[in-house]
Amino acid sequence: MRTVELLLDTAADLAIREAWRRLADAGLPSQARHRSPTNSPHLTLAACPELTAPIRWELAEVAAALPLPVRCTGVVRFERPVSVLAWALDLDPALAGLHRRVWEAVASDSPPQTLNPLHAPGRWSPHITLGRTRRAGAFADRRVPELLPTPPPALRLTTLRSYDTETGALEVLEPRP
């Protein structure tokens, strides 16, 4: 699979890495434990089997719309199939529109059964993952928010990229010249 993700500005990246470090220091699941050089704070927009030429064409237009300012709304927890602790982002009209364009691009040239329904407009919850684990309830009944730095109230989404889950390769998706 190929993900379509947005990277963050330097200040937001550093704030998220600090949250990762604090979780790890407290012995909690943290993205800091993933030592892969491809591991960086990001916002996943969608995933598809491959980035075909038609998909790439549309994603180049999305990349041209960056950077995009967004607002962080606080800590959120998700359960099933894994426990996730994250900073939620406000799904304002600009972010919703950008996400819809990405979804329509990947859906336009991918078999429908290969797309994650949680990435579909109307179901997608924009967030930056701080920690995740297969242990149900790993972040429940803990004073986790007190461990974390205050989320940045505003951040900028700056770069569109794709991650190949089979090869581990990263690719920055540039706007058309």
Side-chain angles (χ1 to χ4, degrees):
M1 291 296 280
R2 297 289 300 260
T3 64
V4 180
E5 306 169 346
L6 288 167
L7 300 179
L8 302 113
D9 63 40
T10 302
D13 185 276
L14 290 172
I16 292 161
R17 289 179 189 276
E18 174 64 12
W20 290 1
R21 184 193 62 76
R22 289 186 187 189
L23 288 171
D25 288 352
L28 292 168
S30 168
Q31 293 304 100
R33 298 188 195 286
H34 299 279
R35 298 290 183 194
S36 168
T38 62
N39 183 39
S40 61
H42 65 275
L43 171 62
T44 301
L45 300 166
C48 58
E50 77 176 285
L51 295 181
T52 63
I55 293 172
R56 286 176 178 282
W57 182 262
E58 295 300 323
L59 292 180
E61 284 191 15
V62 172
L66 299 174
L68 179 69
V70 293
R71 226 173 34 85
C72 189
T73 59
V75 176
V76 65
R77 293 180 180 104
F78 301 105
E79 293 290 338
R80 295 189 193 98
V82 296
S83 293
V84 174
L85 180 73
W87 277 340
L89 301 179
D90 181 29
L91 187 56
D92 65 15
L95 181 56
L98 185 141
H99 173 255
R100 180 171 296 284
R101 289 173 66 194
V102 168
W103 177 262
E104 289 172 354
V106 300
S108 73
D109 205 29
S110 299
Q113 69 276 11
T114 65
L115 300 177
N116 184 338
L118 294 178
H119 291 153
R123 295 203 55 204
W124 181 65
S125 295
H127 64 278
I128 310 295
T129 299
L130 304 175
R132 61 183 287 142
T133 181
R134 294 192 189 283
R135 286 182 302 142
F139 299 106
D141 301 326
R142 299 194 187 261
R143 301 176 71 102
V144 174
E146 294 173 11
L147 296 172
L148 300 173
T150 302
L155 47 89
R156 288 181 334 126
L157 303 168
T158 60
T159 306
L160 191 66
R161 79 168 183 185
S162 178
Y163 174 68
D164 186 321
T165 61
E166 292 176 23
T167 68
L170 287 176
E171 176 186 0
V172 172
L173 303 170
E174 302 281 352
R176 285 190 295 274

